[in-house]
Amino acid sequence: MDENDDQYRWESGYERTWEVIQEDESGSITATVNAINQKNRRKELAQLPNVRLGMMRHLYLVLDLSDAMKDQDLRPNRLFCAIELLKEFIFLYFDSNPISQIGIIITRKKRVEKISELAGNPRSHVALLEQLKYQECEGEASIQNALEIGLQTLKHMPKYSSREMLFVLGCLATCDPGNIIQTIKTCKENEIRCSVISLSAEVRIFRKLCTDTKGLFHVITDSTHFQELLQIHSRPLPALDKFESSLVRMGFPKYRTYTTSNANLTSTTASAKHEKASMCMCHLEQRGGTNGFSIGGYFCPTCESKYCELPTECSVCHLTLVSAPHLARSYHFLFPIEQFIELTMEKSINEKCFGCQQMFDEQKHKTIYQCTNCKSFFCFECDLFIHGTIFTCPGCIRNGQSK
């Protein structure tokens, strides 16, 4: 349907879409297609000013493992393709949201199973996804059961955090034990945003779920489009209306080794310090094995509990443990860099790209981009790299340092 949801595309007015494509002097349409792709990429990276974003996100990823995921319209099949792209999505999610958490839920045989709880360790989630490749896809999916199990945890999350569920579905129906409309209403009341990426086609109940909870609904066209849609969900979405502001208490532990002096144990000699191995709180519940058993780690500044990685939440005193770089990586979403001005290449512009230092070619660079502050010129690739990766204009940094 169209964005305004008034009518479907086939019910709208007749459009001459082929007139957008124009041939160049050699009869090629490559230049026109590249220009359209460049415009779409810049539009995706554009951030609206003065929009409140959910910086601390709690996201449940719901993966369909029904019979529909056996289809081979994605290679080698839907399940393998979805898992590979979701593994990339998890790392990208934590790169863009370093102080957020994610959990994984699967649905098949009309039931759901929570594979992992909300946590901030991307490698553990990726390892669990890798194991799902070899599980059997069978039965039908249950969207209502997935909503219910996600609702049990997300409704207790603080109101200053973003509560989200992302469904990756290949099914065209849902087999539920009760009234899913009432469950959707409960999610709306608890400010849980639900988004759906469909691998098949649009389904009315999926669209209603996204519309009522102010989520996003998309149907993929191919694996590349699938990857682009996941990238959209990796970035923080605009906060909902009832989003509250609050001061969050955080701890900044340093990595250190566990010694007798750190454990406040007495010794016969004041200079004697013996390193002692201990189990971290992350792997404490995993019986058997030696994972998490080491002499070093991050110790909570409040209760001295040990953890392998940051960010995480202390399971003893519930203090959010982060490092300074984690907050710094979230900083660019608060003050996004302005979009560069798009200019047509002119012969009078005898300059080179400030980023990659390549000379502008009138044939290759038909469009160049200029920073509104430092007036430096950039090519398309550097423009994407600045707005999508480093989030800082190198020309503005140089001028600021020179001052």
Side-chain angles (χ1 to χ4, degrees):
M1 295 181 68
D2 292 332
E3 293 181 357
N4 55 11
D5 291 342
D6 292 335
Q7 57 184 352
Y8 288 92
R9 292 288 294 175
W10 60 81
E11 297 176 331
S12 59
Y14 187 70
E15 298 179 7
R16 296 176 176 268
T17 54
W18 58 86
E19 293 183 353
V20 178
I21 307 297
Q22 297 180 358
E23 298 180 353
D24 56 13
E25 297 176 354
S26 61
S28 175
I29 63 173
T30 304
T32 304
V33 174
N34 290 339
I36 295 175
N37 291 335
Q38 290 179 8
K39 183 178 180 180
N40 292 336
R41 290 292 303 277
R42 295 190 79 239
K43 185 178 180 181
E44 291 175 4
L45 293 176
Q47 298 186 31
L48 297 177
N50 301 324
V51 174
R52 195 176 190 183
L53 301 176
M55 302 303 301
M56 185 176 290
R57 303 170 63 186
H58 294 90
L59 171 69
Y60 265 119
L61 186 63
V62 183
L63 180 60
D64 181 11
L65 258 69
S66 63
D67 285 328
M69 297 299 286
K70 296 179 181 179
D71 292 352
Q72 296 182 353
D73 48 0
L74 298 175
R75 294 298 178 185
N77 60 28
R78 289 181 177 178
L79 179 62
F80 269 65
C81 180
I83 288 177
E84 287 299 322
L85 293 180
L86 287 175
K87 286 160 61 177
E88 298 178 8
F89 164 75
I90 289 177
F91 284 112
L92 189 60
Y93 173 86
F94 283 106
D95 186 63
S96 301
N97 312 271
I99 58 176
S100 301
Q101 295 181 340
I102 196 172
I104 302 176
I105 299 173
I106 62 172
T107 172
R108 59 182 170 184
K109 296 192 295 186
K110 308 172 188 177
R111 295 180 174 86
V112 294
E113 180 183 354
K114 186 182 292 185
I115 300 300
S116 65
E117 294 286 351
L118 290 173
N121 185 358
R123 280 186 282 272
S124 63
H125 294 306
V126 169
L128 292 172
L129 279 178
E130 186 68 25
Q131 297 176 7
L132 294 179
K133 281 184 177 180
Y134 309 101
Q135 295 197 19
E136 185 68 20
C137 296
E138 52 187 340
E140 299 178 353
S142 177
I143 307 303
Q144 184 185 13
N145 286 335
L147 290 173
E148 291 285 356
I149 196 171
L151 186 64
Q152 293 175 4
T153 303
L154 292 177
K155 68 181 181 180
H156 299 294
M157 294 296 108
K159 292 186 177 181
Y160 56 78
S161 66
S162 177
R163 312 169 185 175
E164 305 172 40
M165 295 186 70
L166 175 60
F167 291 80
V168 177
L169 304 175
C171 59
L172 291 173
T174 172
C175 187
D176 303 319
N179 186 0
I180 189 175
I181 302 297
Q182 183 61 39
T183 307
I184 295 176
K185 183 179 179 181
T186 306
C187 291
K188 181 180 179 181
E189 293 173 351
N190 287 273
E191 296 291 323
I192 298 176
R193 176 191 277 117
C194 300
S195 300
V196 174
I197 297 179
S198 176
L199 310 185
S200 300
E202 179 174 335
V203 180
R204 171 61 183 172
I205 192 62
F206 299 165
R207 165 72 71 170
K208 179 176 176 58
L209 170 64
C210 299
T211 304
D212 290 356
T213 60
K214 299 183 180 180
L216 303 177
F217 179 83
H218 295 98
V219 179
I220 70 167
T221 56
D222 52 23
S223 58
T224 303
H225 186 219
F226 190 5
Q227 186 178 27
E228 293 174 355
L229 294 178
L230 288 174
Q231 291 176 358
I232 294 176
H233 289 279
S234 67
R235 296 188 289 269
L237 299 176
L240 299 178
D241 297 336
K242 296 182 181 179
F243 193 83
E244 294 184 359
S245 299
S246 176
L247 294 176
V248 183
R249 188 167 173 261
M250 293 185 176
F252 297 87
K254 294 182 179 179
Y255 187 88
R256 56 185 172 89
T257 57
Y258 188 85
T259 63
T260 54
S261 60
N262 292 334
N264 295 324
L265 298 177
T266 59
S267 177
T268 55
T269 59
S271 60
K273 290 185 178 181
H274 301 286
E275 295 179 347
K276 298 186 64 175
S278 60
M279 178 67 71
C280 71
M281 299 296 293
C282 317
H283 301 83
L284 192 60
E285 297 180 357
Q286 299 180 3
R287 301 187 182 277
T290 58
N291 291 334
F293 195 75
S294 61
I295 61 174
Y298 298 94
F299 292 83
C300 175
T302 302
C303 63
E304 287 293 320
S305 299
K306 176 185 170 182
Y307 295 90
C308 293
E309 294 181 343
L310 300 178
T312 186
E313 180 178 335
C314 180
S315 57
V316 178
C317 62
H318 303 288
L319 180 67
T320 302
L321 305 178
V322 297
S323 64
H326 291 144
L327 295 180
R329 294 213 313 263
S330 301
Y331 184 79
H332 62 263
F333 288 113
L334 300 178
F335 303 97
I337 181 174
E338 295 183 4
Q339 284 290 99
F340 292 166
I341 301 175
E342 185 175 342
L343 303 174
T344 56
M345 184 62 187
E346 299 178 359
K347 294 182 180 180
S348 58
I349 302 179
N350 187 18
E351 299 226 11
K352 57 184 178 181
C353 174
F354 188 86
C356 60
Q357 296 295 306
Q358 290 186 359
M359 294 296 299
F360 289 126
D361 185 5
E362 190 174 357
Q363 296 296 329
K364 182 180 179 181
H365 304 94
K366 295 184 179 297
T367 304
I368 60 177
Y369 305 91
Q370 185 181 29
C371 177
T372 56
N373 295 323
C374 64
K375 308 301 180 182
S376 300
F377 294 98
F378 297 91
C379 62
F380 172 70
E381 288 77 11
C382 291
D383 176 48
L384 287 184
F385 183 69
I386 290 171
H387 288 88
T389 304
I390 62 176
F391 305 102
T392 303
C393 174
C396 295
I397 293 178
R398 188 196 67 171
N399 294 340
Q401 290 177 348
S402 63
K403 292 180 182 179

